[in-house]
Amino acid sequence: MKITGLDQVPEASVSHNPAIKKRVLLHGDDLPHLTNFAQARFAPGQIANGHSHADMAEVFFVESGAGTITVEGQVYPLTPGVCIAIAPGEHHEVANTGTQELVLTYFGLRV
């Protein structure tokens, strides 16, 4: 068992855009197949540039704010309560298109 809180873990940079900050609650060695479980905070206008992962799936849950996620060239709105699952190999990009902070909780699974 492991218990962590957002206030107990250090802030780190998101690999796809170092200006975007995240807090990682669980790391890859904490549970089988998990790459991480984290919360990222995007300031208005920030973008996690397009990328894909050959060896992992990702799930994003919108806590607050507004933005878009572009998956394979198709743009989808991100609003509070929306959950998006990204399959391995799917090209995706996340952008805060709103005027408030966009807060995403997400995790990755190795495949």
Side-chain angles (χ1 to χ4, degrees):
M1 183 187 88
K2 181 174 183 176
I3 298 174
T4 56
L6 286 171
D7 60 346
Q8 299 170 338
V9 294
E11 191 174 76
S13 294
V14 171
S15 61
H16 306 296
N17 180 341
I20 300 168
K21 301 304 178 194
K22 68 179 178 180
R23 293 187 186 270
V24 179
L25 294 159
L26 296 173
H27 295 272
D29 56 352
D30 290 327
L31 290 171
H33 309 290
L34 184 72
T35 62
N36 65 37
F37 178 71
Q39 185 179 84
R41 295 178 171 270
F42 292 63
Q46 284 187 319
I47 298 171
N49 295 321
H51 61 281
S52 63
H53 309 280
D55 62 346
M56 71 179 252
E58 282 186 295
V59 176
F60 297 92
F61 179 76
V62 182
E63 298 282 348
S64 62
T68 60
I69 186 165
T70 303
V71 182
E72 297 294 328
Q74 178 70 40
V75 179
Y76 301 92
L78 294 176
T79 57
V82 168
C83 181
I84 304 276
I86 303 296
E90 284 188 313
H91 190 268
H92 56 285
E93 178 175 279
V94 176
N96 181 341
T97 59
T99 59
Q100 307 280 328
E101 185 176 60
L102 173 64
V103 179
L104 300 177
T105 299
Y106 65 98
F107 63 91
L109 297 172
R110 285 195 205 292
V111 294

